[in-house]
Amino acid sequence: GRSYVSFRRFLDIVPHNAPLILMNGSASYDNGEFVDVQYLPVDVWPTAQKVAQQFPGVNMEFQNPDMHYLVSPSENYAAYYRESGFPHELADPARHVGPFVKIGVYGDLSGKTVVNEQEEKPLFDRVEEFLNQEFGDKLVVFRATPRIINVHAKGASKLMAAKKLQQKLGKKI
């Protein structure tokens, strides 16, 4: 379920003999190419503007299969990306128009650890509620942790991707 950006350094290390399910089921990777990619059916920039206006201080990113685009990241969050080595850029609405596979909304980092999740939980409850109200008819919004919200196209999930893979391979998974 990881993004390709965060997983690609393991491609030559981890043996695999079937397509890989990536991005929480929004894409698969097979024989060097992305397959079954489910792009977001919305323009992400109005989404980013609404979230930024309603909830200043949260970190947000857009992902396509091979790049993460950071939207107004905190210094700690930007440092995490620099240290991770993951391909990323600061998002620019003039240059980065999509399509995108995922919107991620995250709490801040303190060094290499998260800040107090209990302090952030009420904020992320409100962000999740807002995203569901605004986009619940087109997108699936779910919490990976108390302070991480993932947004994907409706119908995208690890389970649905596994079912497609099972059908493709003709085997039980």
Side-chain angles (χ1 to χ4, degrees), residues 51-60 71-74 77 105-109 120 123-124 127 147:
V51 171
Q53 289 168 353
Q54 293 284 325
F55 310 100
V58 299
N59 293 288
M60 188 179 337
V71 180
S72 301
S74 70
Y77 199 72
V105 183
Y106 309 103
D108 204 6
L109 301 170
E120 288 186 326
L123 168 64
F124 278 79
V127 174
R147 56 191 306 282

Side-chain angles (χ1 to χ4, degrees), residues 53-87:
Q53 289 168 353
Q54 293 284 325
F55 310 100
V58 299
N59 293 288
M60 188 179 337
E61 68 181 25
F62 308 139
Q63 296 179 9
N64 67 22
D66 56 0
M67 182 68 71
H68 292 195
Y69 298 94
L70 311 183
V71 180
S72 301
S74 70
E75 181 52 40
N76 290 335
Y77 199 72
Y80 163 76
Y81 262 90
R82 284 191 301 272
E83 290 175 21
S84 73
F86 298 162

Side-chain angles (χ1 to χ4, degrees), residues 110-142:
S110 176
K112 293 194 180 206
T113 63
V114 297
V115 295
N116 187 325
E117 287 184 353
Q118 291 309 312
E119 291 176 14
E120 288 186 326
K121 187 177 180 313
L123 168 64
F124 278 79
D125 289 344
R126 293 191 310 276
V127 174
E128 181 181 25
E129 182 180 344
F130 174 80
L131 289 169
N132 273 314
Q133 287 174 353
E134 289 287 314
F135 310 106
D137 60 327
K138 297 178 188 90
L139 306 173
V140 60
V141 177
F142 66 92

